[in-house]
Amino acid sequence: MTLTAVNLELRKTRRLRVVLVCAVMVAAVVALTCANLMSDSARAGFDDPGAQPWESLLMSYVMVTAMTSPLLVAVLASRQVDIEHQGQGWMLSQVAGLRPGRLCRAKATVLGALLAVAVPVQTALVVMAGLAAGITVPLSPGVWVQYAVGLLLVDLALLCLHVWLAARVENQLVGMGVGLLGAFCGVFSLLMPPALARVLPWGYYAVVSPLRMGDDGFAALTPGYGWLAVFLAVVAVLFAVAGHRFDRTEA
Amino acid sequence: MNDVITTHHLTKTYGPRTVVDDLELRVPQGCVYGFLGPNGSGKSTTMKMLLSLARPSRGEITLLGRPMNRETRPALLREIGSLVEAPPGYAHLTGRENMVIVQRMLGLSDRQVSRAVATVRLQEHMDKLVRAYSLGMKQRLGIAMALAREPRLLILDEPTNGLDPAGIEEIRGLLVSLAEDGVTVMVSSHLLDEIDRMASVLGILGRGRLVFQGTRAELFDRSTPDLLVDTPEPGRALALGVPAVRSERGLRLSGLGDDDTAALVRRLVGADVPVHGVRRVQQSLEEVFMDLTGREGLL
Ligand SMILES: Nc1ncnc2c1ncn2[C@@H]1O[C@H](COP(=O)(O)OP(=O)(O)OP(=O)(O)O)[C@@H](O)[C@H]1O
Ligand SMILES: [Mg+2]
């Protein structure tokens, strides 16, 4: 049944342009992240480890993704969920035995799979742009992979929250507003004290950052994986409970 | 006759408001059951409870001879085609893509789907986006979705909403022919005239209560025709406190039984009011309906 539901969601993505939205967002992230590679001051340090060219690129990647990911997640969730409100899809599915909670899980699965492709591609493109621009300082890929995984996990958690929000609040402007707010919070969480960033869902974009701005350049930082695990577990429980409750609400 | 839908004490309350009150529905097998009631009388709420889209506050539902509960629900829902409130359909997909979704959801065959589409005569429009459908086409797509599973019971909430007279006539013919094939059809409307021509059994809701259930003939039998009293001096009769309204040639009284009529005549004659004639006028079905459900709006 779950497999059928996922299959149906794939069919519904037709003409919804979620892949296009994703591709445009990836392109924008790569462009914004790499804009600084063109400056003369940056180019001067491409062969100087002391100038930290890779760290600088990764930090701008962290900042750009913290700002754009909340928006991307909000847009994807709203596009995939709004069709059920518009087309009486909740009722249509329910009288076929497909309950709304399962419908939401199927939507999160399909969109999550899309993000699971988009995030690695986007990260690889940024690194390739750095190489192409001429950074000759040796690259340490581990930290990039680490961040990409953390980013994807936070994206997936927020995706679940947004799918739920889009399903419960019919007016999709609300979800978009929350996404916009999230974009602000995401960026500012990089400047917040970590304790504050950990109470905001978007603060986890900062929690998974492997770098911080030190007094003299960028310093390595161990991402707060313990906190991330707690956050993911809380979201998973909330999403499961919400789905169960959603199954019991009335049309 | 076997009943396909029976309910016992079926009740729905929202907070302090009782919107469906103690319904005892009996929908016989193979009929078109017209479910009538003014706006807000509880038709959609009742149908949602039948389809498990809303939980009854009280009471039991038996469908197709089986009690509706957690265990029987999935199997029962598979045998019921439905259309509640607005017709379903994903606007960004074509009619065909929408039908494929329903097909996959229920595991139906290609033949079942194409038959349903042919029944509502939507074949030429299957490759158009539903966004570009007219309201009538959307209604027909919704009915095709309900029909594709070859249901034994169809529950349709105002399926003719927004259709032109030709469209209404077409749906009416379709439902009657489905009933002839043995499908039980429960169809709601707030327009008596629309339902009267297809339904063989009527259930009439007023403020959440079932005020009538039976055939059209039984509905007429139950109603009391108005009484016309011809008198040149209606003012004097009214001064006696007779519950009447003035009419062209005297007075008009409604809801008066035989004994009450005799008492009225005795009273008028006793008070020396000249009575030139007393006769009954048959009400139209619409008036009977209005009397049963209350003339004032319920919204
Ligand atoms: N979810 C709800 N919460 C509170 N009240 C509700 C809810 N759903 C319906 N009602 C109320 O129940 C009453 C019956 O509504 P229902 O939709 O069943 O009427 P209806 O007979 O289908 O009317 P219409 O002809 O307008 O479709 C209405 O007064 C409505 O306001
Ligand atoms: Mg209604």
Side-chain angles (χ1 to χ4, degrees):
Chain A
M1 197 68 205
T2 303
L3 202 64
T4 314
V6 170
N7 218 311
L8 292 175
E9 282 316 307
L10 276 175
R11 287 182 175 274
K12 291 181 205 164
T13 57
R14 194 140 186 216
R15 280 185 285 269
L16 271 189
R17 309 223 169 89
V18 284
V19 175
L20 180 70
V21 167
C22 232
V24 166
M25 207 55 144
V26 165
V29 166
V30 173
L32 283 171
T33 305
C34 300
N36 202 37
L37 289 175
M38 303 302 151
S39 73
D40 286 340
S41 58
R43 304 189 81 90
F46 277 0
D47 51 3
D48 173 12
Q52 297 185 304
W54 284 116
E55 285 81 352
S56 160
L57 188 63
L58 180 54
M59 196 68 226
S60 76
Y61 184 45
V62 171
M63 279 193 295
V64 170
T65 48
M67 180 174 71
T68 55
S69 304
L71 285 174
L72 173 63
V73 162
V75 172
L76 292 180
S78 129
R79 288 203 66 81
Q80 192 76 21
V81 174
D82 197 33
I83 53 173
E84 307 297 337
H85 296 306
Q86 302 300 328
Q88 307 293 319
W90 303 115
M91 233 185 254
L92 176 69
S93 307
Q94 210 164 345
V95 294
L98 185 55
R99 302 194 151 232
R102 193 190 296 273
L103 210 55
C104 285
R105 286 192 290 278
K107 287 178 188 296
T109 306
V110 167
L111 296 175
L114 186 60
L115 287 174
V117 174
V119 169
V121 166
Q122 169 184 283
T123 310
L125 284 176
V126 170
V127 171
M128 272 150 53
L131 291 171
I135 301 182
T136 52
V137 172
L139 166 75
S140 46
V143 68
W144 285 87
V145 172
Q146 203 182 22
Y147 178 65
V149 171
L151 173 63
L152 177 60
L153 290 174
V154 177
D155 275 355
L156 292 179
L158 285 176
L159 177 69
C160 290
L161 295 178
H162 268 284
V163 165
W164 171 79
L165 182 65
R168 296 324 303 261
V169 183
E170 207 171 320
N171 184 348
Q172 298 302 310
L173 285 177
V174 173
M176 298 312 295
V178 171
L180 210 58
L181 180 77
F184 279 106
C185 292
V187 173
F188 284 110
S189 66
L190 293 166
L191 309 171
M192 286 176 192
L196 184 56
R198 286 197 293 262
V199 299
L200 288 174
W202 304 283
Y204 284 81
Y205 287 110
V207 172
V208 296
S209 169
L211 285 179
R212 66 184 168 80
M213 226 98 72
D215 293 332
D216 38 23
F218 304 104
L221 178 74
T222 312
Y225 287 125
W227 289 106
L228 177 65
V230 171
F231 172 62
L232 294 178
V234 168
V235 171
V237 169
L238 283 181
F239 193 56
V241 171
H244 188 70
R245 285 195 46 181
F246 198 8
D247 282 347
R248 296 172 46 80
T249 52
E250 309 191 337
Chain B
M1 218 181 333
N2 274 338
D3 288 332
V4 167
I5 301 176
T6 55
T7 65
H8 188 48
H9 292 315
L10 186 63
T11 301
K12 180 72 186 177
T13 55
Y14 286 114
R17 282 192 59 203
T18 301
V19 298
V20 172
D21 196 359
D22 214 28
L23 290 200
E24 304 282 328
L25 294 178
R26 298 282 175 275
V27 178
Q29 148 100 53
C31 73
V32 175
Y33 182 97
F35 196 40
L36 272 166
N39 289 131
S41 53
K43 304 179 296 292
S44 299
T45 306
T46 304
M47 289 181 152
K48 283 182 186 170
M49 286 193 284
L50 294 176
L51 292 164
S52 292
L53 292 168
R55 255 191 314 282
S57 308
R58 200 160 72 84
E60 290 100 55
I61 296 171
T62 306
L63 297 177
L64 301 163
R66 278 167 284 169
M68 175 68 116
N69 56 41
R70 275 180 80 104
E71 284 74 48
T72 59
R73 183 171 302 140
L76 280 174
L77 285 178
R78 273 201 66 91
E79 304 201 55
I80 305 172
S82 59
L83 186 62
V84 178
E85 288 180 339
Y90 296 105
H92 68 291
L93 300 178
T94 64
R96 190 179 313 284
E97 288 161 351
N98 269 284
M99 288 307 292
V100 169
I101 291 209
V102 171
Q103 178 180 9
R104 293 291 153 91
M105 206 142 59
L106 292 162
L108 306 176
S109 68
D110 289 347
R111 190 197 56 84
Q112 285 175 306
V113 170
S114 51
R115 224 184 93 163
V117 171
T119 306
V120 298
R121 301 201 300 111
L122 208 56
Q123 300 99 313
E124 316 94 277
H125 306 295
M126 287 308 277
D127 291 316
K128 264 193 219 164
L129 290 184
V130 168
R131 183 178 295 129
Y133 273 20
S134 69
L135 187 54
M137 282 151 76
K138 280 186 194 152
Q139 292 279 19
R140 285 194 278 166
L141 179 67
I143 294 175
M145 287 174 162
L147 283 179
R149 66 185 83 186
E150 300 185 33
R152 288 169 63 194
L153 169 62
L154 260 185
I155 295 183
L156 306 175
D157 190 12
E158 314 216 16
T160 50
N161 229 351
L163 296 193
D164 55 25
I168 293 176
E169 192 54 51
E170 198 178 315
I171 301 276
R172 197 181 282 153
L174 171 64
L175 298 187
V176 170
S177 77
L178 283 167
E180 281 163 4
D181 292 344
V183 180
T184 308
V185 182
M186 180 184 195
V187 54
S188 77
S189 177
H190 56 271
L191 299 175
L192 175 75
D193 182 49
E194 186 180 293
I195 281 243
D196 179 38
R197 288 205 261 151
M198 59 177 152
S200 49
V201 184
L202 295 171
I204 300 181
L205 268 189
R207 298 171 194 271
R209 287 178 164 277
L210 198 60
V211 290
F212 173 81
Q213 183 168 245
T215 62
R216 189 175 191 273
E218 285 166 348
L219 181 57
F220 270 120
D221 286 349
R222 250 203 41 181
S223 75
T224 319
D226 281 5
L227 193 71
L228 288 186
V229 177
D230 294 345
T231 169
E233 297 179 38
R236 276 181 58 204
L238 288 172
L240 290 173
V242 172
V245 292
R246 280 173 193 268
S247 73
E248 202 185 323
R249 297 173 59 185
L251 297 169
R252 184 179 186 117
L253 298 95
S254 45
L256 227 54
D258 290 344
D259 292 345
D260 289 340
T261 304
L264 174 78
V265 172
R266 263 200 306 281
R267 205 163 147 211
L268 291 177
V269 170
D272 250 356
V273 178
V275 175
H276 294 177
V278 176
R279 64 208 151 90
R280 295 252 181 215
V281 278
Q282 187 56 57
Q283 289 166 286
S284 72
L285 198 57
E286 200 70 43
E287 283 172 314
V288 176
F289 175 51
M290 295 281 262
D291 277 348
L292 282 170
T293 57
R295 279 171 194 270
E296 73 278 29
L298 289 173
L299 283 181

